[in-house]
Amino acid sequence: MACACAALYMLNLKGDILIQRTYRDDVERNLATAFRTHIINSPKETEHVSTSSPVRVLGSCSFMYMRHNDVYILAVTKSNANVMLSFQFMTQIVALFKNYFGGEFSEQSIKSNFVLIYELLDEILDFGYPQIVDANILKQYIFQKGFITESAKLKREQEAASSTLQVTGAVGWRKDNLRYKKNEVFLDIVEQVNMLMSNKGTVLRCDVNGKIVMKVFLSGMPDVKLGLNDKLEDVTFHQCVNLGRFNTEKVVSFVPPDGEFELMKYRCQEGISLPFRVLPIINEMGRTRLEVNVKAKSAFNNKLFALNVVISIPVPDNTAKADIQTTQGKAKYDAKKHALVWKIKRFTGQTESALVASVELIATTREKKAWARPPIGMSFQVPMFSASGLRVQYLKVWEKSNYKVDKWVRKVCKSGDYSVRV
């Protein structure tokens, strides 16, 4: 940097602080809140993530930030900094931490190594000016080893197992001489979609965590090939997968374990098809009444349907009763949850349902705090729907005895943290 970095932050995708180090006293300590409010959760920012600027000026401070996996790295300065050198320095920080943490830089690896991180930050920046960031030099006098997370260990084991398989042909996860009268393969794509939407329908944050679970009942030593469309991000494979072949041909090739196992995990943040959109209108009519109007729209194919849909609409703590009408399903006021709970057993695709409620509040003589308006929560599951767009293009099984194989593929999309602001 051509001038000093006043503060350095590492935050998760929600804007929560993981690491904070202040190097100069010319900036306030609540800058992370401003970054979360005006940048991470800004509707304008989230709507145009691909074109948004990585350099923002808020007040008298310049915010320079980059994202790596599920972590934001934020450098703050009040001076006219050299932006390119600042981003080069932040990139070198990521490389340095990966070197110490077994090749992983994520929210979990940061939480597991915060003591070491603070020690490194004290060495690589002096009063905000960059110093040495070469891992080979730093390891000569910072001897502490980083804690390697389970995901990093698993990735190492997979690479080692894949290398062993390519060199020796050994398969340690499957017994020899397995025999079945009926040879079958079951493949399930299970996805969990997380979403935060504004009350105007703008998606503020969205991601899908998915996994492919298989049940394999095959005789002998079969070679299975799975073809998927190019929708994969942050992929973690079972040790049986030939990683070399996947990297070169994008084909998931493996000798499967017997029975049930998790073939792979993945994460997707682009091109997500949201199964539901919820549009709330909640008006406070004075101090004793609340008017609630909520519409839920299903965006998936009309030949599909969602099961066990539950929409939880928060109401103030001093709610007395609620008069509720719905076009589908049943709804009631749950005093323990302080919410209107709307349940729909079966929600068909490309349809819309509405809830209208008049909520009576208990009047109080004391001056009450403004209602915080917590977000609406939603839970559901949609069989045969993939929010990420992941598709199985082919599933091939080859074994030297050339037996017949029955193959079954299913998909299900479930709700994770699916919320809508009111």
Side-chain angles (χ1 to χ4, degrees), residues 12 15-16 20 59 84-85 87 95 110 125 160 166 173 192 196 203 229 232-233 241 315 331 350 399 401 406:
N12 63 16
D16 300 326
Q20 174 183 355
M84 293 306 296
L85 288 179
F87 280 100
I110 290 174
L125 282 166
Q166 292 177 40
W173 52 85
Q192 185 180 69
L196 175 62
V203 178
N229 61 329
L232 299 178
E233 298 177 25
V241 175
V315 293
Q350 298 295 318
E399 211 275 334
S401 57
D406 292 329

Side-chain angles (χ1 to χ4, degrees), residues 55-81:
V55 181
R56 298 285 290 274
V57 178
L58 299 176
S60 60
C61 294
S62 297
F63 290 70
M64 296 168 285
Y65 64 97
M66 60 178 285
R67 176 178 163 183
H68 187 88
N69 291 336
D70 55 353
V71 177
Y72 283 105
I73 304 172
L74 169 65
V76 182
T77 182
K78 293 191 93 172
S79 306
N80 186 18

Side-chain angles (χ1 to χ4, degrees), residues 16-264:
D16 300 326
I17 298 175
L18 304 175
I19 295 291
Q20 174 183 355
R21 184 70 172 86
T22 304
Y23 294 96
R24 302 170 73 90
D25 57 4
D26 60 347
V27 295
E28 299 178 1
R29 292 186 173 270
N30 61 348
L31 292 174
T33 302
F35 179 74
R36 178 172 59 246
T37 304
H38 297 286
I39 298 179
I40 294 181
N41 292 335
S42 168
K44 183 177 180 181
E45 177 78 13
T46 50
E47 190 174 354
H48 304 286
V49 173
S50 59
T51 59
S52 60
S53 171
V55 181
R56 298 285 290 274
V57 178
L58 299 176
S60 60
C61 294
S62 297
F63 290 70
M64 296 168 285
Y65 64 97
M66 60 178 285
R67 176 178 163 183
H68 187 88
N69 291 336
D70 55 353
V71 177
Y72 283 105
I73 304 172
L74 169 65
V76 182
T77 182
K78 293 191 93 172
S79 306
N80 186 18
N82 185 318
V83 174
M84 293 306 296
L85 288 179
S86 300
F87 280 100
Q88 183 182 11
F89 179 71
M90 288 189 282
T91 303
Q92 289 174 330
I93 290 177
V94 174
L96 172 65
F97 288 175
K98 278 187 173 182
N99 194 294
Y100 269 91
F101 307 155
E104 182 182 26
F105 181 76
S106 64
E107 179 179 354
Q108 185 58 47
S109 65
I110 290 174
K111 288 180 178 179
S112 303
N113 292 280
F114 69 93
V115 174
L116 175 58
I117 289 174
Y118 278 113
E119 188 175 356
L120 289 169
L121 291 179
D122 286 339
E123 295 295 337
I124 64 178
L125 282 166
D126 183 11
F127 197 52
Y129 290 99
Q131 305 297 310
I132 300 170
V133 289
D134 189 309
N136 294 325
I137 297 175
L138 288 169
K139 284 184 177 180
Q140 293 178 15
Y141 52 90
I142 297 181
F143 304 108
Q144 181 179 345
K145 294 183 178 180
F147 177 82
I148 300 176
T149 62
E150 291 299 324
S151 59
K153 288 180 182 177
L154 181 61
K155 186 175 180 180
R156 282 184 170 185
E157 291 171 358
Q158 289 174 347
E159 292 174 350
S162 179
S163 300
T164 303
L165 176 61
Q166 292 177 40
V167 174
T168 66
V171 178
W173 52 85
R174 184 178 177 87
K175 297 179 181 179
D176 293 329
N177 302 318
L178 289 170
R179 292 290 179 267
Y180 289 98
K181 290 183 178 180
K182 187 176 183 180
N183 293 283
E184 296 177 298
V185 175
F186 299 87
L187 186 148
D188 290 334
I189 299 176
V190 182
E191 293 187 341
Q192 185 180 69
V193 57
N194 305 298
M195 186 272 298
L196 175 62
M197 182 181 290
S198 72
N199 58 351
K200 295 181 180 179
T202 302
V203 178
L204 304 178
R205 185 172 62 249
C206 184
D207 65 83
V208 172
N209 295 314
K211 61 182 179 180
I212 294 182
V213 180
M214 297 191 71
K215 285 186 179 180
V216 175
F217 306 103
L218 297 174
S219 304
M221 277 288 182
D223 184 20
V224 180
K225 294 180 183 178
L226 174 63
L228 302 169
N229 61 329
D230 190 16
K231 280 284 184 178
L232 299 178
E233 298 177 25
D234 299 333
V235 188
T236 303
F237 288 109
H238 187 276
Q239 62 174 343
C240 68
V241 175
N242 188 327
L243 296 180
R245 190 164 187 179
F246 177 78
N247 291 331
T248 56
E249 303 177 24
K250 297 302 178 183
V251 175
V252 184
S253 176
F254 56 100
V255 176
D258 187 48
E260 184 174 350
F261 68 100
E262 187 177 278
L263 177 67
M264 59 185 281

Side-chain angles (χ1 to χ4, degrees), residues 276-339:
F276 284 99
R277 285 186 175 269
V278 178
L279 302 175
I281 300 176
I282 299 179
N283 295 319
E284 297 181 55
M285 315 298 289
R287 300 178 64 181
T288 59
R289 195 159 62 90
L290 205 68
E291 294 293 335
V292 179
N293 191 324
V294 177
K295 292 182 180 179
K297 299 180 179 180
S298 55
F300 44 88
N301 191 287
N302 58 9
K303 295 181 181 179
L304 304 179
F305 54 86
L307 297 174
N308 303 321
V309 177
V310 179
I311 302 174
S312 181
I313 306 161
V315 293
D317 295 351
N318 61 327
T319 297
K321 63 178 182 178
D323 180 22
I324 310 171
Q325 294 180 342
T326 62
T327 58
Q328 185 182 3
K330 297 180 180 180
K332 66 176 183 179
Y333 167 58
D334 189 325
K336 292 182 179 179
K337 296 181 179 179
H338 301 294

